[in-house]
Amino acid sequence: MINTGNLPATIKSNVIANQYDTGSMVRPTLVAARALRAKLWVYASSKLFNGGFTESLAIVNPDGSRLFPDYNPQKIQTAKQRLEEFLDYAHGLGHKLHIEYYPADPANPGVQEINPNESIYQLFQKYNDEIIWATGYNTIIAIPIIRSAALIL
C-alpha cells in the first residue's frame, strides 16, 4: 500500500503553511501508513510475539501447531529500521512535537521556555504538526477528540 502511490503524503495543505485539509482529515496518508507499519513491527518484536515468554510458547492449537513464534533477533532490527524510516519521513514532511511556550519575559529577550502543561493541553485542542492521522470531528461533547491524536509522534 505504501508504494502504490494512491495515498497522499500528509493532511497538511500545500497551499498555506500550518493549514490542514480537514475535508481529507480521515483519509489515510503515507505518513499514517508508515506509522502503522512501524507500530506493528514494534508489536511483532515484543516479548509476547518474539518468543519472550515460555508460557506463550507452550500454547498450541488443537492440531499441535504453536500460536507464538520462537525468538528472532531480526524482528528487533526490522522494528528499529521501520521506526527510523517513519520518523525521518514524518520529520521530512514537517511533522514535529507540539510545543507551547511561556509568555516572553522582557528581562530575558530571545529566551523562550517550554510550557509543558500548555503543550499537552493544546495538543488536543487544535490541529498541529504532531498529529499524524486525525478525525475531522472535533467537539468537546463527544469522545472522538481523544481519538484525534491516536497516531502522534
Side-chain angles (χ1 to χ4, degrees):
M1 188 64 170
I2 290 174
N3 296 326
T4 63
N6 294 330
L7 297 175
T10 184
I11 58 172
K12 293 177 79 171
S13 172
N14 294 330
V15 180
I16 304 169
N18 294 327
Q19 293 294 316
Y20 300 89
D21 181 7
T22 55
S24 297
M25 191 68 69
V26 297
R27 265 188 87 191
T29 60
L30 284 173
V31 73
R34 287 175 182 257
L36 182 60
R37 178 176 66 178
K39 190 169 191 167
L40 290 174
W41 271 106
V42 169
Y43 284 139
S45 67
S46 69
K47 287 178 77 172
L48 178 61
F49 297 107
N50 198 15
F53 296 108
T54 54
E55 300 86 359
S56 65
L57 294 174
I59 300 173
V60 295
N61 280 323
D63 66 359
S65 61
R66 290 197 355 229
L67 292 176
F68 296 96
D70 288 325
Y71 176 73
N72 179 354
Q74 185 59 38
K75 284 185 179 181
I76 296 170
Q77 292 303 317
T78 303
K80 180 181 180 282
Q81 177 188 353
R82 296 299 184 210
L83 280 169
E84 288 172 347
E85 288 173 2
F86 158 67
L87 289 172
D88 290 343
Y89 186 74
H91 288 154
L93 292 174
H95 289 283
K96 59 187 177 195
L97 294 177
H98 180 70
I99 298 173
E100 295 285 334
Y101 296 95
Y102 287 110
D105 183 5
N108 295 321
V111 176
Q112 289 185 309
E113 289 190 46
I114 295 173
N115 183 338
N117 297 324
E118 193 67 18
S119 294
I120 295 294
Y121 176 75
Q122 290 297 330
L123 174 65
F124 298 101
Q125 300 303 314
K126 59 186 176 185
Y127 294 110
N128 57 66
D129 292 338
E130 188 167 345
I131 297 174
I132 302 297
W133 193 11
T135 178
Y137 185 64
N138 189 0
T139 179
I140 295 174
I141 297 170
I143 299 300
I145 184 73
I146 294 170
R147 291 188 207 140
S148 70
L151 289 174
I152 58 177
L153 287 177

